[in-house]
Amino acid sequence: MSEKDPAVDMHGAVCPVPLQQKSTIVIGHGSGGKMMHDLISEVFIPAFGNPILAAGNDAGLAPAGSNSHYAISTDAHVVKPLFFPGGDIGKLAVCGTVNDVAMLGAIPKYLAAGFILEEGLDISILSQVVQSMRESAEEAGIQIVAGDTKVVEKGKADGLYITTAGFGEIIPYPHPIGGQHAQPGDRVILSGTLGDHGIAVLGARGDLGFESDVKSDIAPLNHLIHAILQVSDKVHVLRDPTRGGLATSLNEIAKQSQVGIILDEKTIPVKPAVQSACEMLGFDPLYIANEGKLIVICAAEDEEKVLATMRKTDDGQQAIAIGEIITDPPGRVLMKTLIGSHRVVDILAGELLPRIC
Amino acid sequence: MKYIDEFRDPELAKATLDEISRITTRHWVMMEICGGQTHSIKRFGLDQLLTKDIELVHGPGCPVCVTPLEQIDKALAIASRPEVIFTSYGDMLRVPGSGRDLFAVRAQGGDVRVVYSPLDALKIAHDHPEKEVVFFAIGFETTAPANAMAVAQAKLMSLQNFSVLVSHVRVPPAMHAILGSSANRVQGFLAAGHVCAVMGYWEYPPVAEKYKVPIVVTGFEPLDLLQGILKTVQMLEAGRFGAENAYTRVVTFEGNKPAQAILKKVFKECDRKWRGIGTIPMSGWCLSDEYAQYDAESRFDVSAITPEESPICIAGEILQGLKKPPDCPAFRVLCTPQNPLGATMVSSEGACAAYYRYDNPNVSQGD
């Protein structure tokens, strides 16, 4: 240890000019967080802007004649590795889009799939992925009715990318369902544990130096949603907390509906293995991706009914109420911590980074 | 989760908070050294629950935050070279250099890879003999031993294509710098538990003695932090100074001897610039003469890069505990995690990031 007196200029150098990632796409633009939202509002909305897109949901609600609507959505899948505990890119490609369509309270009907294949890919791998898509489509009760195939040079894709577009029929319901319809007093219900998918994929990459038995939670949620809508006519929002996790989804809803959300930390379910991985890596399970979890926001009087229905299903056995919608502060998510204080739960900023120590 | 939940027990936390209130007779200012502690304090809202007489100021213990601009610029220059695979811990990728960050270098074609351990970087070097593999060795006493180990391994393996860009820093000289400053307000320290797990706390009694302050080794969970605060208040109220340990389940007085041995072998103490603070004498580690061949700075001739910081943010004063993030006019306005003006907003351990993420801007935090 130095025993010298510090001859330090304590008011010396400070920080550099701001960095604006405005000219180049960086990885954080795909994180599902604030950077991606900025990109959407600065590049896509001005070009495509229309009232359906402006609603800001995962699926667009398009009129189909005088009294009915279609839900339309698309999702691109670039997961690495292609196969991981609990699923693969094929299952993800089907469930991701089915779920986006179902979140508007629609019954998903048909999917179209586009395949971008890298030169050198084993056809047996492609067959395995396609077989998995078939099984997931059967599970979801939908058909894949159109497709496209492109091949790119070696090194231009991680084996294979899949985009899917989905189409669903809006079922009769007393009011529209969507992120903009949360109301003060509503309850926030979560269908199960957080972070399983993100940690399963990270673990499967094999570069974290740990093994776990965590499986991805990928599942089509349309049957669960259908069951909920059968018993309650007071569901206002349905959302699957995928990239950016629960925290980012709830922030989106708070902003869309201009309400506040207060969560109770002790109710939020996280598997011990996921919690351990997060503690080690410096991640917060609130920000980790899920692919088979559902947020339901409904009127308080229907909370028990919705919970009971969810708990009877495979994908909703661990359903639990985690918070409620409040008036103030609008656009913000707060959390009552385990030890009784309150803090803000913000949207994910950019890429989720493991911390140094 | 075992070994975590027990240290987040609401009842025990409340009892400790009550005891702190009971024994506190006046206003005390204490600094938690480590950015991980700052985040726990904000994440669990401990500062809201503590008596207003206890003022916590946030120390310089965020390794990402204090890595000087010139080291970041050197990293950017090296990572941009076509023959280089540049490896780093994840959270360094977003730290702004003079004009861009490592993410931008990657977007422009540089081979920048996130690794979770320096040994992963060694493996990349072994697997890519045609490339120069550089690891960005930053951090405090916590990360330094593993980085030292990687350099020692490289030598054992006779790996010629591996080098490290070193920016390691040490806690005790920073404590001297803070306590010796004429602007100092800190009356007691919560020493960084993870640093002490490696180094022990045998370095601290002379510091406590010289400046007549209590230094209490403190962990990271809510109960650990409250225990550290309680012990510090007890010492302050009794007029006692010295180094004590409130994190006995992890830290011993001697620390991890093999880790200290490898540090001594691979590194030597040297002057080090801290971002936002300035140069603190003998506050860093550089490669020892025996391992100098693994120094990326000389291998890639980047020692001439000496950028100047522009005085926009107050990270320096925050890192010294003189100011808090909301005191900065840019906080939440110009400066946000996705557009950070300073390193304290970039890192998940930075004080500004902690305030941004966990505090409600519409509610006064009372500090």
Side-chain angles (χ1 to χ4, degrees):
Chain A
M1 188 186 73
S2 166
E3 278 301 311
K4 289 182 200 171
D5 268 318
V8 179
D9 173 11
M10 297 297 280
H11 302 282
V14 282
C15 286
V17 290
L19 271 190
Q20 299 270 354
Q21 295 292 357
K22 297 281 186 193
S23 59
T24 319
I25 291 294
V26 295
I27 203 84
H29 282 122
S31 64
K34 179 79 169 64
M35 283 177 83
M36 198 180 82
H37 285 95
D38 289 348
L39 185 72
I40 291 170
S41 62
E42 285 161 25
V43 177
F44 296 118
I45 298 282
F48 305 145
N50 59 59
I52 298 172
L53 189 62
N57 289 309
D58 287 342
L61 189 62
S66 53
N67 266 331
S68 59
H69 284 84
Y70 298 137
I72 299 170
S73 188
T74 184
D75 215 338
H77 302 274
V78 295
V79 67
K80 188 167 75 177
L82 297 174
F83 299 88
F84 45 84
D88 56 70
I89 190 170
K91 188 170 183 183
L92 203 56
V94 171
C95 296
T97 299
V98 162
N99 291 345
D100 283 348
V101 169
M103 293 306 144
L104 288 183
I107 296 184
K109 292 277 186 190
Y110 304 105
L111 244 55
F115 295 84
I116 296 170
L117 311 175
E118 184 185 1
E119 206 175 23
L121 176 74
D122 271 349
I123 291 187
S124 65
I125 290 177
L126 179 62
S127 301
Q128 225 177 313
V129 169
V130 169
Q131 179 62 26
S132 167
M133 290 178 77
R134 197 191 93 153
E135 287 164 13
S136 300
E138 280 170 8
E139 190 185 346
I142 54 113
Q143 284 182 291
I144 299 171
V145 295
D148 182 45
T149 308
K150 296 283 189 299
V151 178
V152 295
E153 287 165 41
K154 186 145 187 78
K156 304 273 175 165
D158 276 332
L160 95 128
Y161 300 148
I162 306 176
T163 63
T164 47
F167 168 90
E169 250 177 18
I170 298 289
I171 52 173
Y173 202 68
H175 52 258
I177 292 170
Q180 66 275 47
H181 299 300
Q183 295 168 18
D186 282 357
R187 295 301 152 90
V188 182
I189 294 169
L190 179 66
S191 67
T193 53
L194 289 182
D196 300 6
H197 174 73
I199 295 299
V201 171
L202 263 182
R205 280 184 197 161
D207 50 10
L208 294 185
F210 71 84
E211 289 175 9
S212 80
D213 54 2
V214 178
K215 286 197 174 70
S216 168
D217 56 358
I218 312 182
L221 295 167
N222 51 328
H223 302 310
L224 174 62
I225 288 171
H226 194 69
I228 294 167
L229 298 182
Q230 293 294 310
V231 298
S232 170
D233 58 2
K234 296 187 177 64
V235 172
H236 299 138
V237 184
L238 297 164
R239 183 68 57 94
D240 54 340
T242 53
R243 273 174 314 163
L246 179 76
T248 301
S249 291
L250 290 179
N251 270 282
E252 288 167 0
I253 294 166
K255 283 197 175 61
Q256 280 179 278
S257 295
Q258 278 304 299
V259 294
I261 299 177
I262 176 96
L263 302 175
D264 186 354
E265 186 170 21
K266 70 173 184 296
T267 61
I268 293 176
V270 181
K271 287 196 177 107
V274 172
Q275 182 76 35
S276 304
C278 286
E279 293 287 341
M280 270 198 291
L281 296 166
F283 290 157
D284 186 336
L286 294 175
Y287 295 90
I288 309 278
N290 313 279
E291 289 292 343
K293 290 297 168 343
L294 176 66
I295 302 166
V296 182
I297 297 180
C298 67
E301 63 258 40
D302 275 14
E303 176 187 333
E304 287 308 320
K305 214 162 32 174
V306 169
L307 276 173
T309 305
M310 291 175 80
R311 285 172 183 157
K312 278 184 221 147
T313 66
D314 286 346
D315 296 319
Q317 281 175 28
Q318 291 172 286
I320 184 166
I322 58 166
E324 68 178 292
I325 306 296
I326 51 180
T327 316
D328 200 47
R332 285 245 163 215
V333 181
L334 306 178
M335 182 153 85
K336 185 180 174 203
T337 68
L338 291 174
I339 61 167
S341 57
H342 286 81
R343 70 161 166 103
V344 165
V345 176
D346 201 15
I347 193 168
L348 179 66
E351 184 75 345
L352 204 55
L353 299 169
R355 72 168 179 232
I356 171 171
C357 63
Chain B
M1 185 182 146
K2 204 161 164 53
Y3 306 124
I4 293 282
D5 294 343
E6 298 91 321
F7 298 95
R8 295 177 181 175
D9 183 298
E11 296 303 316
L12 286 173
K14 170 125 194 357
T16 315
L17 283 159
D18 288 347
E19 178 62 9
I20 292 169
S21 295
R22 193 184 67 78
I23 66 167
T24 303
T25 62
R26 47 161 288 195
H27 187 82
W28 297 112
V29 180
M30 60 187 78
M31 172 181 274
E32 80 276 2
I33 295 278
C34 177
Q37 293 169 325
T38 305
H39 265 259
S40 268
I41 288 165
K42 301 308 289 184
R43 179 177 168 195
F44 293 97
L46 294 180
D47 51 340
Q48 297 166 32
L49 302 173
L50 272 171
T51 162
K52 295 291 172 243
D53 282 332
I54 304 298
E55 183 182 347
L56 294 171
V57 294
H58 316 309
C62 160
V64 173
C65 303
V66 300
T67 300
L69 180 61
E70 61 190 47
Q71 292 304 97
I72 311 276
D73 280 1
K74 286 173 190 170
L76 297 172
I78 294 170
S80 303
R81 298 171 70 113
E83 78 275 25
V84 166
I85 299 175
F86 193 86
T87 58
S88 170
Y89 293 121
D91 47 4
M92 285 308 290
L93 267 63
R94 215 150 50 86
V95 180
S98 293
R100 51 189 184 151
D101 56 23
L102 285 166
F103 270 132
V105 169
R106 190 161 83 179
Q108 286 153 7
D111 193 343
V112 178
R113 302 187 189 179
V114 172
V115 292
Y116 302 92
S117 151
L119 297 176
D120 296 343
L122 266 191
K123 184 168 183 308
I124 294 172
H126 180 261
D127 295 347
H128 293 276
E130 76 289 359
K131 289 279 196 177
E132 279 288 334
V133 175
V134 182
F135 177 71
F136 202 173
I138 72 146
F140 283 85
E141 291 93 329
T142 4
T143 47
N147 297 348
M149 179 64 83
V151 175
Q153 285 282 332
K155 187 160 191 175
L156 277 176
M157 294 160 69
S158 304
L159 270 183
Q160 301 301 320
N161 64 329
F162 178 78
S163 59
V164 284
L165 178 60
V166 182
S167 194
H168 279 303
V169 279
R170 303 170 53 235
V171 166
M175 289 169 124
H176 276 284
I178 289 162
L179 291 168
S181 161
S182 56
N184 174 53
R185 298 173 60 228
V186 176
Q187 296 164 295
F189 278 107
L190 308 178
H194 290 162
V195 165
C196 297
V198 173
M199 298 305 292
Y201 56 103
W202 52 268
E203 294 175 291
Y204 296 152
V207 184
E209 193 80 25
K210 180 169 181 185
Y211 299 99
K212 309 268 181 286
V213 292
I215 301 174
V216 176
V217 179
T218 303
F220 299 84
E221 294 301 324
L223 287 186
D224 291 323
L225 282 156
L226 291 172
Q227 203 56 43
I229 293 166
L230 176 62
K231 210 178 239 295
T232 309
V233 175
Q234 284 167 342
M235 293 173 77
L236 286 165
E237 290 284 345
R240 268 193 302 134
F241 54 86
E244 294 194 5
N245 186 2
Y247 198 31
T248 49
R249 75 180 195 279
V250 173
V251 173
T252 61
F253 185 73
E254 293 79 16
N256 181 335
K257 288 276 173 83
Q260 292 171 34
I262 187 95
L263 282 173
K264 207 167 171 190
K265 186 172 159 66
V266 174
F267 292 129
K268 63 180 183 192
E269 290 175 13
C270 62
D271 292 352
R272 174 71 69 202
K273 206 171 186 178
W274 296 50
R275 192 170 202 169
I277 296 180
T279 301
I280 303 178
M282 303 308 271
S283 67
W285 273 307
C286 306
L287 288 166
S288 64
D289 298 343
E290 190 187 343
Y291 291 92
Q293 57 178 303
Y294 295 97
D295 184 6
E297 283 192 52
S298 49
R299 191 173 295 193
F300 298 99
D301 193 22
V302 288
S303 43
I305 295 177
T306 52
E308 292 295 320
E309 308 244 19
S310 63
I312 288 182
C313 88
I314 61 166
E317 288 154 289
I318 289 168
L319 289 169
Q320 296 161 54
L322 302 178
K323 287 195 174 164
K324 291 193 177 175
D327 298 333
C328 175
F331 180 70
R332 280 191 202 277
V333 186
L334 286 170
C335 183
T336 60
Q338 56 279 3
N339 187 25
L341 298 204
T344 41
M345 185 60 96
V346 173
S347 169
S348 60
E349 295 186 22
C352 293
Y355 274 69
Y356 186 93
R357 276 183 62 182
Y358 300 131
D359 273 0
N360 184 351
N362 305 321
V363 176
S364 162
Q365 297 303 314
D367 57 12

